[in-house]
């Protein structure tokens, strides 16, 4: 068989190659691609792999990365799944959103991370923190996209029990930190909560003061703008105030909650509330009745008067069995629907216009133990642990 004439031409005569594009322009192009495509690009050649692994690319990609849906299956100690474009998934004949297993991104590190028995605490900049609730088990912080992880050892404190944790990031120093709350194991009642912090890459736990006695759901906290945020309640489990922990100043301080809530002090139970982040704003979902869900959004950070009730969702009878549970808003989709997690591994899409609710069916991995908003990134956890920019 004769070769075509074009195949005999030298490379220079065939025109410029994509590899001749300046690396900063190629970085800019790649940073706009979806994770599925980027994962494939890493396997194309060593040049692409090194480019995508560059710390400069990691920061550029992170600044443009959009929230995705993170799922951790009930079976499997570490494997995680990512639904990157849920708004493009197929709606089946009964109106539910169907996510085929083949469209999920599955991540697993090259070496098995020691997360057996640990739960997902939270995520920040694409890094996920695993922990053991109420134990002194080590924390495991990982980036499932690139398969890296580090272990944060714990130091047991005599006569104290661990009762909560948090994970976050200080933009000023570019360091990631783990926060833990300890309460005395002896005595009657909860007298105080001691707060201690560990900067990733060190084995040192430092005390950073005391926390309010009753932080709602001690674990997690809601991370935004370099701080973790919590609801604070009284001895009767009713809303009292809010507080935050700034990772830069390393201190707990009061934070302005919705002024409307203070009209009902002693009446609004925090077990009907859940904090979250919607479109880069703090939010509080609240069930004032079994039939409705209010979502409050803080439009201007740390400005009390900017809290507004943006969404009122009527809970249909088909999900009434979950009405005594907390609903967790996950994200606002492109079409304006709100993706929410209900109890028992149920994720739904709420249409705020016609007030319809569709169940999200994730084929092949139900049930799952955790569903949360996740921003995929190529941030190197190993660089972060030694203080290098990644």
């Amino acid at each position: 068989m004769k070769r075509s004439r074009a195949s005999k031409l030298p490379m220079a005569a065939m025109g410029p190659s994509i590899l001749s594009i300046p690396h900063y322009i190629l970085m800019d192009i790649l940073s706009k691609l979806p994770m599925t495509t980027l994962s494939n690009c890493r396997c194309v050649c060593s040049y692409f792999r090194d480019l995508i692994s560059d710390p400069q690319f990691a920061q550029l990609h992170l600044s443009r990365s959009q929230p995705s849906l993170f799922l951790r299956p009930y079976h499997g100690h570490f494997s995680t799944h990512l639904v990157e474009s849920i708004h493009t998934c197929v709606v089946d004949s009964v109106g539910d959103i169907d996510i085929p297993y083949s469209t999920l991104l599955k991540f697993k590190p090259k070496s098995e991370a020691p997360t057996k028995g640990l739960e997902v605490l939270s995520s920040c900049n694409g890094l996920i923190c695993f922990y053991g609730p109420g134990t002194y088990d080590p924390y495991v912080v990982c980036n499932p996209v690139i398969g890296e992880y580090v272990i944060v050892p714990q130091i047991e404190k005599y006569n104290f029990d661990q009762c909560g944790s948090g994970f976050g990031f200080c933009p000023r120093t570019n360091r990631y930190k783990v926060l833990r709350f300890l309460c005395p194991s002896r005595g009657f009642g909860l007298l105080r909560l001691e707060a201690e912090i560990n900067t990733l890459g060190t084995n040192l736990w430092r005390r950073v003061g005391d926390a309010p006695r009753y932080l709602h759901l001690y674990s997690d906290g809601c991370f935004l703008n370099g701080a973790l945020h919590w609801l604070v309640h009284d001895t009767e489990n009713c809303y009292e105030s809010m507080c935050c922990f700034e990772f830069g100043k390393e201190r707990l301080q009061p934070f302005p909650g919705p002024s409307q809530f203070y009209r009902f002090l002693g009446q609004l139970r925090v077990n009907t509330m859940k904090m979250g982040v919607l479109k880069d704003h703090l939010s509080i979902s609240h069930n004032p009745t079994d039939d409705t869900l209010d979502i409050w959004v803080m439009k201007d950070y740390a400005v009390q008067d900017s809290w507004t009730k943006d969404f009122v969702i009527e809970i249909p009878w088909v999900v009434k069995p979950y009405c005594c549970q907390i609903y967790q808003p996950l994200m606002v989709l492109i079409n304006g629907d709100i993706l929410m997690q209900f109890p028992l591994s149920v994720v739904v899409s709420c249409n705020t216009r016609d007030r319809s609710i569709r169940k999200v069916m994730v084929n092949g991995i139900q049930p799952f133990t955790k569903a949360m908003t996740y921003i995929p990134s190529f941030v190197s956890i190993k660089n972060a642990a030694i203080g290098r920019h990644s």
Side-chain angles (χ1 to χ4, degrees):
M1 181 182 293
K2 294 183 179 180
R3 294 183 180 181
S4 66
R5 182 178 179 183
S7 64
K8 298 179 182 180
L9 294 176
M11 289 295 295
M14 296 178 66
S17 164
I18 189 173
L19 301 182
S20 65
I21 300 176
H23 77 281
Y24 63 91
I25 296 179
L26 193 53
M27 274 190 180
D28 184 68
I29 295 172
L30 291 173
S31 68
K32 299 176 182 179
L33 298 178
M35 283 299 302
T36 309
T37 307
L38 281 174
S39 297
N40 293 332
C41 286
R42 293 179 71 193
C43 303
V44 170
C45 62
S46 59
Y47 180 73
F48 273 16
R49 184 190 64 238
D50 294 342
L51 195 68
I52 295 173
S53 301
D54 190 295
Q56 183 180 350
F57 176 81
Q59 291 300 320
L60 180 61
H61 175 266
L62 180 62
S63 67
R64 295 173 173 174
S65 191
Q66 296 299 311
S68 302
L69 178 62
F70 167 93
L71 300 171
R72 190 188 190 197
Y74 184 79
H75 299 289
H77 301 316
F78 189 83
S79 61
T80 61
H81 294 78
L82 193 66
V83 183
E84 191 170 14
S85 300
I86 192 169
H87 58 277
T88 62
C89 294
V90 178
V91 178
D92 62 23
S93 58
V94 296
D96 291 333
I97 299 176
D98 185 63
I99 301 176
Y101 184 80
S102 59
T103 65
L104 299 176
L105 286 177
K106 183 178 180 180
F107 301 112
K108 192 172 183 178
K110 297 176 182 177
S111 56
E112 189 74 12
T115 61
K116 183 177 180 179
L118 299 183
E119 297 181 8
V120 176
L121 176 64
S122 60
S123 70
C124 177
N125 293 347
L127 305 184
I128 300 175
C129 183
F130 291 82
Y131 78 127
T135 70
Y136 283 102
D137 290 333
Y139 295 90
V140 178
V141 182
C142 71
N143 185 334
V145 173
I146 59 179
E148 290 184 353
Y149 72 90
V150 297
I151 297 175
V152 182
Q154 289 224 58
I155 300 175
E156 186 172 353
K157 194 167 184 178
Y158 182 67
N159 284 339
F160 278 83
D161 295 324
Q162 179 166 298
C163 57
S165 303
F167 175 63
F169 171 74
C170 176
R172 180 175 56 84
T173 62
N174 200 49
R175 300 302 296 269
Y176 292 84
K177 302 179 182 183
V178 178
L179 180 71
R180 70 178 186 179
F181 297 115
L182 306 172
C183 61
S185 56
R186 297 181 180 180
F188 298 96
L190 180 59
L191 301 179
R192 71 183 190 277
L193 281 179
E194 289 189 4
E196 294 187 347
I197 198 166
N198 175 283
T199 300
L200 232 61
T202 71
N203 294 331
L204 177 65
W205 286 92
R206 297 174 286 109
R207 183 172 176 182
V208 287
D210 291 344
R213 289 190 300 169
Y214 299 105
L215 291 182
H216 179 44
L217 298 177
Y218 296 134
S219 299
D220 295 358
C222 185
F223 183 80
L224 183 68
N225 288 352
L228 284 171
H229 306 77
W230 291 271
L231 299 169
V232 180
H233 61 87
D234 59 20
T235 56
E236 300 299 322
N237 208 32
C238 291
Y239 174 85
E240 188 174 82
S241 61
M242 290 181 64
C243 75
C244 73
F245 180 85
E246 291 190 38
F247 282 95
K249 298 178 181 178
E250 292 191 349
R251 70 182 183 190
L252 283 143
Q253 60 189 39
F255 190 82
S259 57
Q260 296 86 341
F261 283 15
Y262 292 94
R263 302 174 192 169
F264 305 98
L265 286 181
Q267 302 178 45
L268 304 178
R269 300 190 65 81
V270 293
N271 59 357
T272 64
M273 300 179 184
K274 187 72 174 179
M275 291 195 65
V277 176
L278 291 178
K279 288 189 172 180
D280 297 323
H281 298 294
L282 278 179
S283 69
I284 298 176
S285 59
H286 172 228
N287 289 100
T289 69
D290 290 345
D291 301 314
T292 57
L293 175 70
D294 297 340
I295 301 180
W296 295 78
V297 178
M298 190 180 221
K299 298 301 179 61
D300 298 315
Y301 184 74
V303 178
Q304 185 173 43
D305 291 341
S306 69
W307 281 105
T308 58
K309 185 163 60 175
D310 269 13
F311 305 99
V312 177
I313 299 173
E314 293 185 5
I315 303 172
W317 66 270
V318 292
V319 293
K320 284 294 180 66
Y322 311 115
C323 62
C324 352
Q325 305 290 334
I326 300 174
Y327 305 130
Q328 172 67 65
L330 297 172
M331 68 181 78
V332 178
L333 303 180
I334 292 177
N335 62 2
D337 288 5
I338 301 178
L339 198 67
M340 303 186 66
Q341 182 180 8
F342 280 44
L344 304 178
S345 303
V346 177
V347 174
V348 299
S349 177
C350 303
N351 188 313
T352 57
R353 297 172 299 281
D354 61 16
R355 298 179 179 178
S356 62
I357 291 182
R358 296 182 295 180
K359 187 175 180 181
V360 178
M361 304 296 296
V362 188
N363 295 325
I365 64 169
Q366 286 183 316
F368 44 86
T369 61
K370 183 72 173 182
M372 68 180 183
T373 303
Y374 174 70
I375 297 179
S377 78
F378 291 91
V379 170
S380 170
I381 182 61
K382 293 181 179 178
N383 288 344
I386 59 176
R388 290 175 53 191
H389 286 266
S390 57

